[in-house]
Amino acid sequence: MVKRASWWLVKIHRSYTVEEVSRLLGVSKATVWRWIKNGLVAIQDRKPALISGANLIDFLKSRSRPKQKCALDECYCFTCKSPRKIAFGEAEIDCKNSNIPNMLGLCSICSSLMFKRISKSKLSEISTVLRLTFKQGDEPISNRPPPCLNDHLQQEQDQ
Ligand SMILES: [Zn+2]
């Protein structure tokens, strides 16, 4: 992994060659070319290729974000290695095994199964952008006491 690149060294109104970027940020030229392959916008129809400071800053900022944030109707797809919209606008909520529900859906690009943990308080907000189906256990969720209450009762019975 590349160390967190110092985008604040980049001047927004300048254009840089690959060599200049490599010197400025202390990375190899091969790394800069890899960035270009991975989405850094460069003007390549002339030699040397030029990268605008603004594009470079955008790219570095998006890289240095610790986690890519998913929108409400997105999950992180491990196949695409990117947040992806949930296909068909349909997700399944699985609260069977945990107090924190899992939201499952298919990647709109590659159809892989994606999931993320969501907080219950977000459910109503999510249901405005996605059709949600609730995966239920043996009994309806509404009939079950919350798990923490369960533990408490269990302890009292044990004593
Ligand atoms: Zn995908």
Side-chain angles (χ1 to χ4, degrees):
M1 272 312 274
V2 187
K3 61 175 188 295
R4 191 172 274 231
S6 328
W7 54 265
W8 53 86
L9 293 171
V10 181
K11 295 201 170 50
I12 196 160
H13 294 301
R14 256 205 72 172
S15 288
Y16 298 86
T17 62
V18 168
E19 186 163 0
E20 284 168 338
V21 172
S22 107
R23 245 180 308 158
L24 181 70
L25 301 175
V27 297
S28 70
K29 279 193 267 180
T31 300
V32 181
W33 282 114
R34 201 173 59 235
W35 289 351
I36 292 172
K37 235 176 86 187
N38 290 341
L40 171 61
V41 180
I43 303 154
Q44 293 187 73
D45 56 358
R46 48 190 260 183
K47 289 225 157 74
L50 278 184
I51 299 147
S52 85
N55 284 334
L56 184 54
I57 290 172
D58 275 355
F59 182 79
L60 294 174
K61 276 190 181 171
S62 71
R63 278 187 74 92
S64 63
R65 247 173 246 147
K67 260 196 245 163
Q68 283 172 290
K69 252 183 107 52
C70 299
L72 277 179
D73 58 346
E74 289 178 334
C75 280
Y76 186 84
C77 173
F78 286 96
T79 308
C80 300
K81 297 198 171 32
S82 181
R84 292 293 187 212
K85 286 234 177 304
I86 290 175
F88 316 118
E90 259 174 31
E92 193 176 68
I93 303 294
D94 181 357
C95 352
K96 234 173 22 181
N97 302 316
S98 161
N99 213 6
I100 304 161
N102 251 324
M103 181 163 85
L104 295 92
L106 296 179
C107 172
S108 57
I109 305 293
C110 72
S111 299
S112 296
L113 183 65
M114 313 184 290
F115 59 89
K116 69 175 170 186
R117 295 221 150 173
I118 50 168
S119 67
K120 278 188 176 160
S121 57
K122 277 266 159 94
L123 273 177
S124 61
E125 206 182 329
I126 292 170
S127 68
T128 62
V129 289
L130 289 172
R131 261 193 313 278
L132 300 179
T133 353
F134 289 84
K135 195 171 172 178
Q136 305 207 333
D138 302 328
E139 49 183 327
I141 291 159
S142 52
N143 287 356
R144 258 186 285 168
C148 59
L149 268 183
N150 249 344
D151 288 351
H152 184 62
L153 285 176
Q154 197 74 48
Q155 275 165 18
E156 277 182 353
Q157 280 163 10
D158 289 345
Q159 274 158 16

